[in-house]
Amino acid sequence: MEDNVIVIHFGELWLKGRNRHVFVSTLFKNIENAINGQEYGRLNRERDRFVIYLNAESKINNITDSLRYIPGISYFSPAKMIKADINEILAEGAAILSNAKNPIKIVVHRSYKNHKFTSWDIVHAFITSKKTNPHIDKNSKKILYINVAKDNAFLYTKKMEGAGGLPVGASGKAVILLSGGIDSPVASFLAMKRGIEPIYLHFYAFQDYKKVAESKIPRIANKLLKYSNTAKVYYAPAHLFQIATMKIPIKYELVLFKRFMYKYAEAVAKKEDAKAIVTGESVGQVASQTIDNMQATQHGIKTLILRPLTGMDKIEIIRKAEELDTFKLSIEAYRDVCSIKIKNPKTKADSKSIDKFYRSCRLSEVLQKTMKMSFVETLKINEGMKRN
Ligand code: ATP
Ligand code: MG
């Protein structure tokens, strides 16, 4: 009676036609990494599902806890796997039904159609058996799923929701601008959910780089690790930029800093073979995030910039941050790149002025120097972090 497998169904993967095998193998690898170190027999691909074979040492709850966060999974179920034989199905079903508190509805699906029996034959067998009939109620919300494949049948009553979306890595890599705020962790999650492998880039205001390594930023990145299993984090100091731009009108500083961050992100994208830059901006959320400013900021940047939060209200973003459990970290006090957080930034910056300041402050050279002072860390789930 005890569950001996976990059946995993993929979601949107089936929409992907020709690329399907890439998505399926990426998801397979991601699941393997996520449950690495846990006790199980093996992970198998079986037609339109993956099956984790459990063993006596397996802790089902720990495994399902990891599976919940993996993009690309639509749902999964701890299940009893038996032979695809109608008598065995009836016997196992009877055992499950007699243990249930209330009558249950039965839903049968055959993913292999060449058996001698139909789905209806199975339902009929359950309805006409004296043993099972009293435990069946076709109006019940609780369901016993009977999934019949070629060799095996899977019986389960719990359908656990997966993260949906596409497996991380299937859409390539992107450089994600990660701040200490509420928005960018949510943007990171949404990007990962669409198959993006994250390379985080954070600009810090501390004199001493050790301070950022001990700050909440690596903790935020770690919090997001359950979606991607692994992530690189670039830490770049902001002070050279601040010194170089001391003389420009303060109103322009934020827009100029964003241009500088994009330029840096573009260089990282090139190095890491990443295809896009992701930010936590949403249109009109604050004075600095007007369409005009976004345009002026990204002028001259060739890499695609994605803003997954574009259409979200702050309240929706906060709700999502709470759900992701990043909110508490995001509101912890943190010394962000502060002089740049002025109250009244220019709301209609023009790209010509930004280009001009970029040149007059010699920001290309500043960028090179900043890159030399940066450090990278690789995070791996279940392994802690490695610095270089
Ligand atoms: P967030 O809550 O994500 O910090 P915000 O509402 O504070 O966003 P801004 O400060 O304008 O808005 O930042 C917009 C985006 O720019 C951020 O979501 C992030 O992607 C990027 N960003 C801001 N500050 C930094 C930083 N110090 N390092 C890296 N990226 C940053
Ligand atoms: Mg911010």
Side-chain angles (χ1 to χ4, degrees):
M1 263 260 318
E2 261 181 28
D3 293 329
N4 53 3
V5 293
I6 298 175
V7 188
I8 303 167
H9 290 266
F10 358 120
E12 225 179 303
L13 299 179
W14 295 107
L15 301 174
K16 285 290 167 189
R18 276 180 302 149
N19 291 335
R20 202 173 74 191
H21 69 279
V22 178
F23 291 91
V24 174
S25 57
T26 306
L27 181 58
F28 187 91
K29 204 170 69 230
N30 292 352
I31 294 174
E32 217 173 22
N33 288 338
I35 61 175
N36 181 26
Q38 304 219 35
E39 272 298 340
Y40 66 97
R42 73 200 145 95
L43 169 66
N44 237 17
R45 175 171 175 207
E46 293 171 18
R47 290 172 69 92
D48 57 349
R49 64 175 78 82
F50 295 132
V51 179
I52 300 175
Y53 290 81
L54 303 171
N55 62 26
E57 264 66 60
S58 294
K59 298 209 166 58
I60 294 190
N61 288 347
N62 293 355
I63 298 177
T64 55
D65 267 353
S66 301
L67 296 178
R68 274 169 56 199
Y69 302 108
I70 303 175
I73 294 179
S74 70
Y75 70 91
F76 55 95
S77 307
K80 181 71 193 267
M81 188 186 78
I82 53 171
K83 245 174 71 191
D85 171 276
I86 193 160
N87 293 321
E88 288 204 22
I89 293 171
L90 191 62
E92 186 59 41
I96 295 173
L97 290 175
S98 62
N99 264 337
K101 281 195 201 109
N102 296 307
I104 299 184
K105 177 177 172 172
I106 290 180
V107 172
V108 182
H109 174 78
R110 286 178 314 154
S111 50
Y112 177 77
K113 308 279 183 202
N114 293 336
H115 287 296
K116 288 198 187 99
F117 52 86
T118 63
S119 295
W120 170 245
D121 290 335
I122 296 176
V123 176
H124 186 74
F126 273 89
I127 295 172
T128 51
S129 152
K130 276 199 200 102
K131 235 177 157 183
T132 51
N133 181 285
H135 301 290
I136 298 171
D137 172 6
K138 70 177 179 1
N139 296 318
S140 169
K141 284 212 174 80
K142 190 144 173 117
I143 297 173
L144 168 61
Y145 296 93
I146 301 174
N147 220 310
V148 189
K150 187 165 179 247
D151 301 316
N152 300 314
F154 302 91
L155 283 76
Y156 51 89
T157 51
K158 259 194 243 156
K159 254 189 180 182
M160 302 168 111
E161 209 180 326
L166 304 172
V168 169
S171 303
K173 298 181 205 167
V175 177
I176 302 182
L177 286 167
L178 184 69
S179 72
I182 297 165
D183 302 333
S184 39
V186 177
S188 307
F189 164 75
L190 292 175
M192 287 190 277
K193 198 181 158 195
R194 297 312 299 166
I196 285 174
E197 182 182 330
I199 297 164
Y200 298 112
L201 168 58
H202 175 71
F203 285 85
Y204 64 91
F206 304 103
Q207 294 273 321
D208 180 357
Y209 79 93
K210 283 187 199 123
K211 285 227 162 100
V212 71
E214 288 157 8
S215 76
K216 68 177 183 177
I217 302 299
R219 281 191 281 140
I220 292 174
N222 260 308
K223 202 45 137 193
L224 294 165
L225 210 53
K226 55 183 178 285
Y227 303 99
S228 64
N229 293 325
T230 170
K232 265 191 182 173
V233 191
Y234 279 73
Y235 296 92
H239 70 275
L240 295 181
F241 171 90
Q242 288 176 306
I243 295 165
T245 56
M246 247 154 23
K247 293 209 172 90
I248 70 156
I250 191 147
K251 276 182 166 181
Y252 283 98
E253 200 184 353
L254 180 53
V255 182
L256 190 60
F257 181 58
K258 284 213 176 137
R259 169 75 69 80
F260 183 73
M261 289 201 293
Y262 286 161
K263 284 277 188 195
Y264 194 111
E266 191 162 61
V268 174
K270 205 166 169 194
K271 189 167 158 217
E272 297 282 353
D273 197 22
K275 294 176 183 163
I277 297 167
V278 175
T279 88
E281 291 165 307
S282 91
V283 176
Q285 188 193 81
V286 285
S288 61
Q289 292 174 14
T290 60
I291 294 265
D292 290 298
N293 278 354
M294 287 187 190
Q295 177 56 40
T297 321
Q298 71 174 52
H299 183 78
I301 306 291
K302 293 193 194 78
T303 313
L304 173 71
I305 299 175
L306 299 173
R307 299 177 173 91
L309 307 186
T310 291
M312 285 172 87
D313 296 344
K314 191 76 188 188
I315 192 83
E316 292 171 305
I317 299 169
I318 290 175
R319 236 178 261 143
K320 194 71 201 168
E322 283 170 337
E323 212 180 292
L324 301 174
D325 201 24
T326 53
F327 184 73
K328 272 187 262 141
L329 284 171
S330 293
I331 58 171
E332 263 181 32
Y334 177 67
R335 192 174 153 206
D336 220 324
V337 188
C338 48
S339 78
I340 291 162
K341 302 276 151 185
I342 58 153
K343 288 219 165 60
N344 299 305
K346 187 102 178 128
T347 51
K348 271 193 166 201
D350 59 300
S351 45
K352 276 206 183 115
S353 309
I354 301 302
D355 291 351
K356 193 185 81 193
F357 290 134
Y358 203 91
R359 278 193 305 273
S360 65
C361 298
R362 296 173 168 268
L363 289 184
S364 297
E365 286 165 37
V366 175
L367 189 82
Q368 294 304 320
K369 284 189 192 144
T370 301
M371 289 191 101
K372 288 203 182 105
M373 297 177 78
S374 302
F375 70 100
V376 192
E377 157 176 281
T378 305
L379 307 177
K380 281 203 166 70
I381 200 153
N382 311 327
E383 270 187 29
M385 50 185 94
K386 286 192 196 105
R387 298 213 158 103
N388 54 40

